[in-house]
């Protein structure tokens, strides 16, 4: 970490409760680095002054890697082989680079599925899973496997007719059962692929399993489910809900957070959900938000007992969302 001494930070560094611990434009010294360690701030989340213009934006990286991954995935249709080595070499490093974007909400905007959803989803889930893994303090070796497993989680859909995957209306029961088979198909494809370890194959098979045994395809419970598949399940749901799909518009932020908390998408691993949502919400302090009543405000303080209902300043008025059930955060602005 000492290599960051003397570097100037661009944005405020905030702790778990949304309190600024090091202000923007500070030149990092030894005391700052110790504070970063104690507050458990991920150094990779920090953007340094003068570095923001040295590389393509996350949106540009995402656009380019989606096209690369699309070509690689589509090659399976003719070769019948999963191009795992090429994906590991050409896609995974970019997925990991995007996940280091310091502005989480700009990152979400960059990977949001809009047009070519199937391939944007693969990259989006790869980025979000890597982000979660980093927040869970996984090693670089573990992150590399997680990034690859997440990017490949839906590969079985290559064997599902595209007219069913992109159907604008509700699937028939028979169509839904066919789509569900992508988990088994993906597992079989990867099991026969050189270089795919158990985390990669099991993530494809188990990312729709749930802790209470109500998932598919095998109805597994808790410890029966691969740890990497549990991470990908959280990323999969968040990306799907926040993206434009053939059959729904992006779901408002507060609804996604609330439904993930309440288990509306099945019993996800509670620790992973907590790590993911708390790391997102604590980064909302200082952000401009649109409330469900249409007003625009700024989050100024997080309620430590319920960080999803912060104190919001609207003009000269302070609104405590923990005391108002009728007003929620509809959207968070992208700077």
């Amino acid at each position: 970490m000492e290599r960051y001494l003397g570097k100037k930070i661009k944005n405020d560094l905030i702790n778990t409760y949304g309190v600024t611990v090091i202000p923007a434009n500070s030149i990092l010294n030894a005391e700052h680095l110790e504070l970063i360690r104690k507050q458990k701030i991920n150094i990779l989340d920090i953007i340094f002054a003068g570095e923001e213009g040295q590389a393509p934006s996350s949106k540009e990286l995402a656009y380019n890697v989606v096209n690369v991954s699309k070509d690689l995935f589509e090659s399976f249709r003719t070769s019948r082989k999963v191009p795992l080595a090429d994906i590991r070499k050409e896609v995974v490093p970019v997925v990991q680079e995007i996940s280091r974007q310091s502005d989480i909400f700009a990152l979400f905007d960059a990977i949001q599925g809009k047009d070519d959803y199937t391939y944007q989803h693969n990259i989006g889930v790869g980025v979000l899973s890597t982000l979660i893994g980093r927040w869970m303090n996984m090693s670089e070796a573990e992150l590399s496997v997680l990034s690859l497993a997440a990017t490949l989680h839906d590969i079985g859909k290559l064997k599902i007719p595209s007219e069913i995957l992109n159907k604008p209306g509700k699937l028939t029961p028979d169509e839904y059962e066919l789509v569900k088979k992508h988990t088994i198909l993906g597992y079989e494809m990867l099991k026969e692929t050189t270089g795919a370890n158990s985390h990669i194959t099991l993530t494809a098979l188990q990312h729709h399993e749930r802790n209470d045994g109500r998932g598919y395809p095998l109805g597994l419970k808790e410890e029966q489910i691969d740890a990497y598949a549990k991470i990908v399940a959280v990323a999969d749901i968040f990306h799907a809900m926040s993206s434009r799909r053939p059959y729904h518009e992006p779901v408002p932020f507060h609804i996604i957070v609330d439904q993930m908390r309440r288990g509306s998408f099945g019993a996800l691993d509670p620790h992973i959900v907590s790590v993911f949502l708390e790391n997102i919400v604590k980064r909302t302090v200082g952000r401009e938000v649109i409330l469900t009543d249409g007003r625009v405000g700024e989050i100024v303080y997080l309620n430590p007992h319920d960080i999803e209902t912060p104190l919001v300043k609207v003009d000269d008025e302070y609104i405590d969302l923990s005391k108002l059930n009728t007003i929620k955060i509809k959207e968070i602005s992208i700077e």
Side-chain angles (χ1 to χ4, degrees), residues 10-138:
K10 184 184 178 186
N11 303 316
D12 291 341
L13 300 190
I14 58 175
N15 65 11
T16 304
Y17 297 106
V19 176
T20 298
V21 294
I22 304 177
N25 299 316
S26 295
I27 306 296
L28 294 185
N29 56 34
E31 292 180 357
H32 289 143
L33 296 184
E34 183 61 23
L35 189 58
I36 288 170
R37 289 191 190 96
K38 288 182 177 179
Q39 296 289 333
K40 296 182 179 179
I41 297 171
N42 192 330
I43 197 75
L44 295 175
D45 288 341
I46 301 172
I47 186 166
F48 296 98
E51 293 184 355
E52 59 272 21
Q54 295 178 4
S57 68
S58 293
K59 187 167 288 191
E60 291 170 328
L61 288 172
Y63 176 81
N64 291 334
V65 79
V66 164
N67 289 328
V68 170
S69 68
K70 180 177 181 178
D71 290 342
L72 289 174
F73 276 88
E74 290 291 334
S75 71
F76 173 82
R77 300 188 190 280
T78 53
S79 70
R80 312 309 294 174
K81 293 182 179 180
V82 177
L84 188 141
D86 290 332
I87 292 171
R88 179 183 277 124
K89 179 181 177 181
E90 299 181 37
V91 176
V92 168
V94 184
V95 164
Q96 294 186 323
E97 178 63 27
I98 296 171
S99 75
R100 292 188 177 94
Q101 159 68 259
S102 63
D103 185 335
I104 298 301
F105 299 98
L107 182 152
F108 292 161
D109 181 61
I111 62 174
Q112 186 184 65
K114 294 170 181 134
D115 302 314
D116 199 352
Y117 175 77
T118 298
Y119 297 100
Q120 289 175 335
H121 182 63
N122 293 334
I123 299 303
V125 172
V127 170
L128 291 173
S129 298
T130 305
L131 191 64
I132 295 170
R134 192 170 283 120
W135 285 338
M136 293 177 67
N137 298 314
M138 295 178 74

